[in-house]
Amino acid sequence: MTADLIAVVLLLAVTAYACAGGTDYGAGFWDLTAGGTERGRRPRRLIDHAMAPVWEVNNVWLIFVLVIMWTGFPVLFQTVFSAMWLPLALAVVGMVLRGAGFALRKPTRRLAGRRLYGAVFAVASLVTPFFLGAAVGGVASERVAPGTEASADVWTSPTSIVFGLAAVATSAFLGAVFLTGDARRFDAPDLIAYFRRRALGGLAVLTVLAVVTGFVTSEDAPYVWHGLTHGLGLFFVVLAGAFALATGWLLLRTPGTWVRVTAVGVVASAVVGWGMAQRPYLLPTSLSVADAAGAPATLTWLAIVTLVALLLVTPAVVLLYWLDSHGELAELTPSELRGGSHSPDDDAAPDS
């Protein structure tokens, strides 16, 4: 019972990271495709202002996932990281380079340096979700089992490739939706239209990839495919489709707060549906939740520590997101630092 509870917490943590981290990676995707220095100046400026207060906190969910894996399900952790160390290592390198690029490009004075760090940030935002998705595809396609040796075959299957592409498309979709809201908050109507078009395009690509994923998994990942077309897995697939329709409808109107909710609903429903499709396995057909679980005493303490952590961390994270979405975390302007009067020209808003 405790093992099942911890498995649910693990799935919810993965879902939280897919939504929060995916939004950040999506912002990097649009940074990469914004165009040259002059053409991409304002979109990139919006991306900087939107990400600056929250980009680091989204990795809290990834740390949470890793702690639960190696503490609660050590066999799962050992198996996954042994069999797919290369794509996971590439994803980690991407995270490090992405963070360094984002942190260093703004204070760098030389244009060449800003371009270099910006390129590192943007490319890493594409690489990291792809390799994370490819690793998930390796699990879903039953290529990872206790004792599996590391090889390219484990994470280069059709399921891995399509999952990697879907992860990139998902992050691009989420990033565009949230940037649309940020453009509205910063009163930049042209950027609202700019990112709304990209959000609709991302949703269309994601829909196509969802159909392709269905065809691929029916042949390459039969257990997960069966789970996605029956029971709770099917329920969450239908729910993701309903959220997608609602998101498209809201994007065609004047986008507000609700479009963010429905966009997150699309991704969260898809991830939870994948988790439900694998029941009762953590690694389909080879490692069940019960077999992967650690010692009962360890699971009990992990459940207690997890509850305490959620009670302490979740309100703080929610408060941070709320403050950011209400513009309470804006940077100080030069005039404020000098103690002078506030001038619109000093604002860091994208349309200034």
Side-chain angles (χ1 to χ4, degrees):
M1 183 64 181
T2 305
D4 291 333
L5 175 62
I6 297 298
V8 170
V9 173
L10 176 61
L11 177 60
L12 294 178
V14 171
T15 303
Y17 183 66
C19 295
T23 302
D24 267 359
Y25 294 131
F29 178 89
W30 297 119
D31 188 287
L32 179 66
T33 60
T37 302
E38 186 59 31
R39 179 185 173 189
R41 180 179 62 85
R42 297 185 70 251
R44 290 191 178 102
R45 202 171 178 189
L46 175 65
I47 290 168
D48 280 344
H49 285 284
M51 286 185 57
V54 298
W55 70 277
E56 288 181 291
V57 75
N58 292 325
N59 288 321
V60 167
W61 304 113
L62 178 60
I63 296 170
F64 199 31
V65 169
L66 294 175
V67 170
I68 293 176
M69 280 184 68
W70 76 55
T71 307
F73 305 103
V75 177
L76 172 68
F77 184 86
Q78 178 185 5
T79 301
V80 169
F81 279 81
S82 296
M84 295 188 291
W85 68 268
L86 181 56
L88 293 173
L90 291 172
V92 171
V93 170
M95 292 176 197
V96 174
L97 292 177
R98 178 178 178 275
F102 182 75
L104 294 174
R105 75 170 177 176
K106 190 172 183 179
T108 301
R109 294 184 178 274
R110 293 182 179 274
L111 178 60
R114 289 199 298 271
R115 286 176 173 173
L116 173 62
Y117 290 128
V120 169
F121 160 70
V123 173
S125 297
L126 186 69
V127 167
T128 298
F130 176 81
F131 283 113
L132 290 176
V136 171
V139 171
S141 60
E142 303 174 36
R143 286 174 169 80
V144 181
T148 299
E149 295 184 359
S151 71
D153 294 337
V154 176
W155 56 276
T156 57
S157 67
T159 301
S160 288
I161 299 302
V162 76
F163 270 44
L165 293 175
V168 173
T170 297
S171 64
F173 161 66
L174 279 175
V177 169
F178 274 73
L179 287 168
T180 300
D182 289 318
R184 183 169 60 90
R185 174 160 59 93
F186 285 117
D187 193 24
D190 61 318
L191 290 180
I192 295 176
Y194 177 92
F195 283 111
R196 179 164 56 180
R197 290 193 301 269
R198 282 151 179 77
L200 287 168
L203 181 59
V205 171
L206 190 58
T207 302
V208 172
L209 282 174
V211 174
V212 173
T213 301
F215 283 109
V216 171
T217 54
S218 65
E219 297 292 333
D220 197 48
Y223 188 87
V224 168
W225 167 253
H226 181 270
L228 289 172
T229 54
H230 296 80
L232 282 175
L234 177 60
F235 169 78
F236 282 103
V237 168
V238 173
L239 187 61
F243 276 125
L245 290 173
T247 302
W249 181 74
L250 290 170
L251 284 171
L252 291 172
R253 299 167 61 85
T254 303
T257 302
W258 280 106
V259 72
R260 290 186 170 190
V261 175
T262 57
V264 168
V266 173
V267 179
S269 298
V271 175
V272 173
W274 160 63
M276 294 297 102
Q278 291 195 176
R279 292 183 309 157
Y281 295 103
L282 293 174
L283 298 176
T285 72
S286 64
L287 186 67
S288 67
V289 171
D291 292 337
T298 301
L299 292 177
T300 299
W301 279 107
L302 180 60
I304 295 172
V305 171
T306 298
L307 177 61
V308 173
L310 288 176
L311 291 175
L312 293 176
V313 173
T314 301
V317 172
V318 170
L319 177 61
L320 176 64
Y321 288 150
W322 187 90
L323 290 173
D324 179 51
S325 64
H326 286 75
E328 298 294 332
L329 301 179
E331 297 176 351
L332 290 175
T333 65
S335 64
E336 289 172 329
L337 289 172
R338 291 192 301 267
S341 59
H342 180 73
S343 169
D345 293 334
D346 290 327
D347 272 340
D351 57 342
S352 63

